[in-house]
Amino acid sequence: MSQQGYVATPPYSQSQPGIGLSPPHYGHYGDPSHAASPPGLMKPPGPLGTATPGGMLPPGPPPPGTHQFGQNGAHASGHPPQRFPGLPPVNNVAPSYAPYSSSTPSAYPRPVSTSSVTHLGNQLNAMQINNYAASYGPQMAGAPLSYPGGFPGGPAQMAGPPQPQKKLDPDSIPSPIQVIENDRATRGGQVYATNTRGQIPPLVTTDCVIQDEGNASPRYIRCTAYCFPCTSDMAKQAQIPLAAVIKPFATIPSNESPLYVVNHGEDGPVRCNRCKAYMCPFMQFIEGGRRYQCGFCSCVNDVPPFYFQHLDHTGRRLDRYEKPELSLGSYEYVATLDYCRKNKPPNPPAFIFMIDVSYSNVKNGLVKLVCEELKTVLEKLPKEEQEETSGIRVGFITYNKALHFFNVKSNLAQPQMMVVTDVGEVFVPLLDGFLVNYQESQSVIHNLLDQIPEMFADCNENETVFAPVIQAGMEALKAADCPGKLFIFHSSLPTAEAPGKLRNRDDKKLVNTDKEKILFQPQTNVYESLAKDCVAHGCSVTLFLFPSQYVDVASLGLVPLLTGGTLYKYNSFQMHLDSQQFLNDLRNDIQKKIGFDAIMRVRTSTGFRATDFFGGVFMNNTTDVEMAAIDCDKAVTVEFKHDDKLSEDSGALIQCAVLYTTIGGQRRLRIHNLGLNCSSQLADLYKSCETDALINFFAKSAFKAVLHQPLKVIREILVNQTAHMLACYRKNCASPSAASQLILPDSMKVLPVYMNCLLKSCVLLSRPEISTDERMFQRQLVMTMGVADSQLFFYPQLLPIHTLDVKSSTLPAAIRCSESRLSEEGIFLLANGLNMFLWLGVSSPPEVIQGIFNVPSFAHINTDTTLLPEVESPYSQKLRLIMSIILQKRPYSMKLTIVKQREQPEMFFRQFLVEDKGLHGGSSYVDFLCCVHKEICQLLN
């Protein structure tokens, strides 16, 4: 069955009689102003540079005269045939991606014969991709051509008058914004019912109401494809990763029903005897309801007497709509004592706050800020919905070179401090009075928080420890026999003599070498073994970092990553600029929906299995994902591989079960079930793909690989796999058409733009202005992201603000992330989940500037502020509303940077215009699309 996908170029004319080549149809992506050449004549294409601000092409070659090219095109005049072994870098200023040559022998044969090579050269010319081909030889006499970014020369050119500049139309290549808008138009605001196996959900950017009718909501599980290939050979042929991005604690909007809790008392959940899958809608009841067949392993089980129910005339239980586990995709079970540590009910979790009181933190006011804010956030500790107060107990530690524990027992008049100076063997000096109920000890705690800044006001100690701080928190939780979370507020490289001591190893000379991966690895194995102990004792670590220089995030961030905690980083923290962002993060983090001491297992039906797990996960064996805690923002990406054939009839079933302790100390099981289709047709696989989930998978697998492989190799693999997936579609699913056409499957038409964004990310492509720590930080964030967060991170949201309809309650329509979309008269807001920018054109309308900033003109705007003034104008109110809507849905509070056109900070802003060429390497979207097309042509030949 042929399936026509997205065609990026118009059909090319058929080859003329007597000539073995199709004369290409010129003009970039089908510029109608150029007709096909007459037989025997070839037009040399113009070099394709990066789009200049107006979207103009650089000056092209002179128009062709009557110069005859031989039948084999450009190299008939004596130049050697071009072999296209791999692509040279796009510019010779700073290295772009490594030459895109395959590091592993390709499954497709490479072109060898001269005629096929030439044919390829002509196809590329048809798309004007000569900027990727090496020079054909010296340029002939004539006007020298300038190549922005220094592209290698094109084919030999004749003298002649310069050609007028040609307009490049980026609108003719697939637009992520258009894809998002189309999906919103067709599916936004509607009810999406999950009653059909293998159906494709609305995009993650589309707001809709999800109704659970037997499969888990896409808020919990999204897949790279919703129809799996039946055989492993098909999977290998397409090279599309089969994966699920699972976010077990995802936040559910108030207009959707929360999870039902099933309680079978002492009997506990009903499970398959063989594979241990939990009762779910995929179980088939037989023999009048006395037995059931497992949907995962086909084992026939007896129904426990307490669970028996008669079947109706269709063979379904009469009570199936009364039981969440028989009619819904997601639900919870109350766990029995068999599921608890030491077979006894868990204690409610505890939060321990640990403050670095070294000299710089006291002097810059950070210690005082944290202590003041804790008084507020402790009032809002998370609690079970039916409870009046939180069951969470709290404790406090301060530290520099030594650790200070505080007794805040409710009957004390004053808090008491106990100092531990032996940081080599940390012990907890007090049990009674360290972890307390906040409500009961409120006055003693407030007393302590008032005293801490004064207590250390004259402290000159600048050296700190770090690993012993985590060790102390873990030992305290262990002694109290409860799970919990450490909140650590830390700011420097731990250089004091103690376990986990670190040195400054930030070596710029390693960047862009094969040894660059060392920078991504922790400096010592202390932190990995510490993380392992933390997970074993249900101790999660969240770290707030305030670095003014290198702090080795690769080492310090490892424990938060592996224990299900979060890492926050505020570079060169300044009280007046950064405190709001930090306080928002702290408030959000403390109030997050969270489960403690968790174990996750993903079961599948026969024929395939989960083989690889990406995220903040720790695994002692090949099946159990252990997490000290998991919150509403953390996602685990799971890859599946075939171990047998799948059948089209039974499909592919996935069950994710998470055993965890609630905030109130109850042990529960959270179950998510999803049924996917299977097909022996490749076209069905391509139709069912989800680009946003694919990019989440590719990002996590690439960011995991940076620990062991050179970045150049990783980038090559990503480019090769992109080309491979698209070439397989072209070869097996698309209608026959000229080889020079780029044809993309509809579900993947924006895969190249997202893949290029991933290739240009600072983790995979170093940039001089980005520190090693920042690269490690971004790597760590992406490893735990769900699909919505990774989508925004790689392709930021860019909104025009100057055209706001202040009366409308909706967000303005986004525009593409390219400089050519900005205008001098415009004001634009850009957000990627980590950063937020307000860009102001030099000719911004004065009335809008007055409305937003309460100043008369562009020149009066203060760019040092990180908060918008609260002006009573409709413009200001609307803009602040838009910003709060964007912030609401994201795990990190974004600090606002105000950027004026043509001023220095604009350089930092421009790296987020991801469709453009990178300032320090990295292709533009147009160039990358050409590059992928070239790779596809090579694979197909």
Side-chain angles (χ1 to χ4, degrees):
M1 175 192 128
S2 87
Q3 177 197 355
Q4 190 61 44
Y6 182 93
V7 183
T9 49
Y12 292 91
S13 50
Q14 296 302 307
S15 49
Q16 304 289 335
I19 290 193
L21 300 171
S22 326
H25 178 109
Y26 280 99
H28 187 71
Y29 295 104
D31 183 343
S33 61
H34 294 264
S37 314
L41 278 182
M42 270 194 64
K43 299 188 180 189
L48 178 98
T50 49
T52 42
M56 301 288 287
L57 269 176
T66 52
H67 175 58
Q68 289 271 324
F69 280 76
Q71 178 147 343
N72 278 349
H75 60 72
S77 53
H79 297 303
Q82 189 61 44
R83 294 256 178 234
F84 299 100
L87 298 166
V90 183
N91 62 24
N92 50 18
V93 185
S96 180
Y97 305 135
Y100 295 129
S101 58
S102 176
S103 51
T104 50
S106 168
Y108 293 90
R110 285 281 157 133
V112 181
S113 74
T114 311
S115 64
S116 69
V117 169
T118 314
H119 193 76
L120 172 64
N122 288 310
Q123 294 160 12
L124 293 178
N125 289 347
M127 267 197 77
Q128 301 193 347
I129 312 183
N130 59 303
N131 56 320
Y132 279 100
S135 172
Y136 280 84
Q139 286 195 343
M140 293 190 181
L145 295 170
S146 63
Y147 296 96
F151 286 114
Q157 278 145 359
M158 297 295 292
Q163 200 172 315
Q165 286 201 327
K166 251 192 297 183
K167 273 273 169 69
L168 168 66
D169 183 14
D171 290 329
S172 61
I173 57 177
S175 153
I177 301 301
Q178 199 54 57
V179 169
I180 289 169
E181 288 303 324
N182 291 351
D183 195 69
R184 281 181 181 154
T186 52
R187 308 183 79 169
Q190 299 182 6
V191 173
Y192 171 75
T194 68
N195 53 0
T196 314
R197 188 181 81 192
Q199 63 184 340
I200 302 162
L203 292 182
V204 77
T205 42
T206 299
D207 273 332
C208 60
V209 178
I210 294 161
Q211 200 167 304
D212 185 341
E213 293 186 4
N215 284 289
S217 158
R219 298 192 200 285
Y220 296 121
I221 307 182
R222 281 187 173 269
C223 295
T224 54
Y226 293 88
C227 177
F228 277 13
C230 282
T231 64
S232 61
D233 288 348
M234 258 179 86
K236 284 188 189 114
Q237 192 183 352
Q239 284 199 17
I240 294 172
L242 305 175
V245 186
I246 305 176
K247 203 171 170 186
F249 282 77
T251 307
I252 295 301
S254 55
N255 59 351
E256 292 175 18
S257 38
L259 294 192
Y260 286 93
V261 180
V262 180
N263 190 348
H264 289 324
E266 289 178 10
D267 292 302
V270 179
R271 301 178 69 177
C272 170
N273 292 328
R274 186 197 289 159
C275 71
K276 300 295 181 219
Y278 293 87
M279 181 54 67
C280 68
F282 305 144
M283 305 299 191
Q284 185 69 46
F285 288 87
I286 52 175
E287 295 177 25
R290 287 188 296 280
R291 308 178 84 184
Y292 68 92
Q293 184 171 24
C294 175
F296 294 91
C297 69
S298 304
C299 172
V300 174
N301 298 271
D302 290 331
V303 173
F306 84 91
Y307 201 66
F308 174 77
Q309 177 58 267
H310 294 286
L311 308 185
D312 65 13
H313 64 285
T314 63
R316 293 176 168 188
R317 283 174 58 121
L318 296 170
D319 64 352
R320 79 172 190 281
Y321 290 117
E322 293 154 32
K323 292 202 176 302
E325 73 274 23
L326 299 180
S327 55
L328 299 177
S330 301
Y331 43 88
E332 290 201 315
Y333 281 114
V334 174
T336 56
L337 291 179
D338 306 348
Y339 295 89
C340 303
R341 283 182 196 265
K342 302 176 194 156
N343 287 25
K344 61 177 206 207
N347 290 313
F351 285 178
I352 303 177
F353 299 93
M354 317 179 97
I355 306 169
D356 165 359
V357 289
S358 56
Y359 175 78
S360 57
N361 278 7
V362 176
K363 280 289 167 279
N364 70 9
L366 186 62
V367 173
K368 189 169 180 13
L369 180 72
V370 171
C371 291
E372 281 302 311
E373 181 58 22
L374 286 180
K375 294 180 195 169
T376 313
V377 293
L378 289 170
E379 297 287 347
K380 296 177 183 162
L381 290 173
K383 57 179 193 283
E384 294 284 16
E385 279 155 26
Q386 64 278 13
E387 299 293 331
E388 288 198 4
T389 59
S390 173
I392 293 175
R393 289 175 297 164
V394 294
F396 303 87
I397 292 176
T398 57
Y399 67 94
N400 37 44
K401 261 166 88 166
L403 301 172
H404 324 115
F405 291 75
F406 293 95
N407 183 346
V408 282
K409 204 171 175 182
S410 56
N411 58 7
L412 293 176
Q414 284 288 333
Q416 296 169 349
M417 177 164 90
M418 295 184 167
V419 181
V420 174
T421 51
D422 181 4
V423 287
E425 289 291 325
V426 176
F427 68 97
V428 181
L430 78 156
L431 291 179
D432 189 32
F434 178 64
L435 291 179
V436 297
N437 177 297
Y438 170 69
Q439 250 53 46
E440 291 170 12
S441 295
Q442 186 176 5
S443 60
V444 192
I445 290 171
H446 279 227
N447 210 330
L448 169 68
L449 295 172
D450 287 338
Q451 287 177 29
I452 287 174
E454 295 160 19
M455 211 182 295
F456 298 98
D458 302 324
C459 171
N460 295 325
E461 187 53 72
N462 233 339
E463 279 199 313
T464 56
V465 296
F466 187 70
V469 181
I470 296 174
Q471 184 81 35
M474 183 188 72
E475 295 292 345
L477 293 174
K478 199 163 128 186
D481 196 18
C482 69
K485 182 163 164 178
L486 313 182
F487 293 82
I488 305 179
F489 305 91
H490 185 85
S491 66
S492 59
L493 195 68
T495 52
E497 278 308 324
K501 174 185 174 177
L502 300 174
R503 60 186 169 77
N504 187 338
R505 52 158 187 166
D506 188 17
D507 187 354
K508 286 272 186 270
K509 290 198 286 292
L510 297 179
V511 173
N512 290 326
T513 70
D514 284 357
K515 289 187 175 168
E516 189 170 2
K517 60 188 176 213
I518 295 168
L519 298 172
F520 289 92
Q521 299 162 357
Q523 214 180 113
T524 150
N525 56 14
V526 167
Y527 291 103
E528 189 165 355
S529 58
L530 187 55
K532 188 175 175 176
D533 289 346
C534 283
V535 171
H537 294 102
C539 169
S540 172
V541 178
T542 281
L543 175 59
F544 294 86
L545 266 183
F546 305 88
S548 52
Q549 52 204 37
Y550 177 75
V551 290
D552 199 348
V553 170
S555 300
L556 298 188
L558 193 64
V559 181
L561 178 67
L562 295 179
T563 60
T566 308
L567 174 62
Y568 299 92
K569 184 161 81 73
Y570 312 91
N571 300 333
S572 309
F573 183 83
Q574 287 177 276
M575 192 63 72
H576 64 292
L577 294 179
D578 305 294
S579 58
Q580 201 49 56
Q581 184 193 6
F582 159 59
L583 296 179
N584 290 344
D585 282 335
L586 177 58
R587 288 163 194 167
N588 291 343
D589 200 282
I590 281 185
Q591 294 170 41
K592 269 182 189 178
K593 170 93 177 135
I594 185 170
F596 291 92
D597 201 6
I599 296 180
M600 175 171 116
R601 184 175 282 195
V602 178
R603 291 181 173 83
T604 55
S605 52
T606 45
F608 74 117
R609 63 196 165 86
T611 54
D612 227 335
F613 296 83
F614 303 91
V617 297
F618 185 82
M619 299 186 74
N620 268 322
N621 55 37
T622 55
T623 54
D624 293 335
V625 178
E626 297 182 43
M627 297 169 282
I630 180 163
D631 65 43
C632 57
D633 295 317
K634 301 289 186 293
V636 177
T637 300
V638 184
E639 186 176 15
F640 302 104
K641 293 263 164 65
H642 288 75
D643 49 17
D644 203 349
K645 276 190 173 164
L646 294 170
S647 97
E648 297 197 7
D649 295 339
S650 50
L653 309 179
I654 298 168
Q655 183 179 79
C656 164
V658 184
L659 174 65
Y660 73 101
T661 300
T662 67
I663 214 90
Q666 189 182 49
R667 203 73 176 140
R668 281 196 195 166
L669 284 150
R670 180 170 282 221
I671 314 289
H672 298 298
N673 303 288
L674 184 63
L676 305 174
N677 286 337
C678 296
S679 174
S680 51
Q681 301 295 317
L682 278 169
D684 292 335
L685 165 63
Y686 279 95
K687 265 187 211 157
S688 78
C689 287
E690 182 178 307
T691 294
D692 295 329
L694 278 167
I695 289 299
N696 181 285
F697 171 84
F698 281 125
K700 288 185 183 181
S701 55
F703 286 11
K704 185 177 181 178
V706 297
L707 297 173
H708 314 291
Q709 281 180 295
L711 300 187
K712 180 180 159 192
V713 172
I714 295 169
R715 293 195 301 261
E716 281 171 7
I717 290 169
L718 288 171
V719 175
N720 287 328
Q721 191 161 355
T722 305
H724 210 113
M725 284 160 30
L726 299 174
C728 175
Y729 173 81
R730 173 65 200 257
K731 187 177 172 188
N732 299 289
C733 309
S735 313
S737 55
S740 44
Q741 265 186 343
L742 173 62
I743 300 182
L744 304 168
D746 203 52
S747 65
M748 286 188 188
K749 63 186 179 194
V750 290
L751 181 71
V753 66
Y754 280 112
M755 186 58 85
N756 191 38
C757 296
L758 168 58
L759 288 164
K760 288 199 286 194
S761 75
C762 68
V763 179
L764 295 183
L765 192 68
S766 64
R767 295 199 287 268
E769 80 282 10
I770 301 255
S771 69
T772 305
D773 273 346
E774 184 60 27
R775 297 174 69 197
M776 306 306 126
F777 174 59
Q778 293 194 17
R779 171 186 178 266
Q780 181 155 334
L781 298 198
V782 171
M783 287 307 289
T784 63
M785 276 182 182
V787 179
D789 293 328
S790 57
Q791 187 276 333
L792 183 70
F793 182 77
F794 289 112
Y795 195 94
Q797 193 172 21
L798 182 60
L799 304 174
I801 298 301
H802 53 289
T803 54
L804 271 186
D805 176 0
V806 289
K807 295 188 180 70
S808 158
S809 59
T810 53
L811 289 180
I815 57 170
R816 292 170 70 166
C817 290
S818 168
E819 193 178 1
S820 60
R821 310 281 162 165
L822 304 178
S823 60
E824 291 193 353
E825 305 75 51
I827 298 178
F828 298 86
L829 183 71
L830 182 143
N832 77 337
L834 210 53
N835 308 86
M836 192 179 267
F837 296 92
L838 190 63
W839 182 91
L840 306 155
V842 286
S843 312
S844 305
E847 67 277 9
V848 182
I849 287 178
Q850 179 72 48
I852 295 173
F853 296 98
N854 206 17
V855 295
S857 74
F858 180 81
H860 290 82
I861 296 168
N862 172 18
T863 53
D864 289 340
T865 179
T866 56
L867 292 172
L868 288 181
E870 299 205 2
V871 185
E872 285 303 304
S873 77
Y875 263 111
S876 171
Q877 290 169 340
K878 182 74 205 260
L879 176 55
R880 283 181 289 129
L881 175 68
I882 289 170
M883 287 166 63
S884 71
I885 291 171
I886 294 172
L887 283 168
Q888 235 168 18
K889 300 179 177 175
R890 302 295 163 187
Y892 293 87
S893 166
M894 296 171 246
K895 175 172 139 185
L896 177 70
T897 306
I898 293 168
V899 175
K900 286 183 176 180
Q901 186 181 7
R902 299 183 196 146
E903 290 191 7
Q904 186 54 39
E906 196 187 19
M907 299 298 276
F908 184 58
F909 165 78
R910 279 172 61 180
Q911 71 188 32
F912 297 96
L913 301 175
V914 288
E915 290 198 22
D916 298 342
K917 190 157 168 279
L919 300 174
H920 301 286
S923 307
S924 69
Y925 172 26
V926 170
D927 289 350
F928 182 69
L929 199 60
C930 297
C931 159
V932 168
H933 182 233
K934 182 194 159 197
E935 289 275 311
I936 292 169
C937 291
Q938 282 187 316
L939 289 170
L940 293 177
N941 280 317

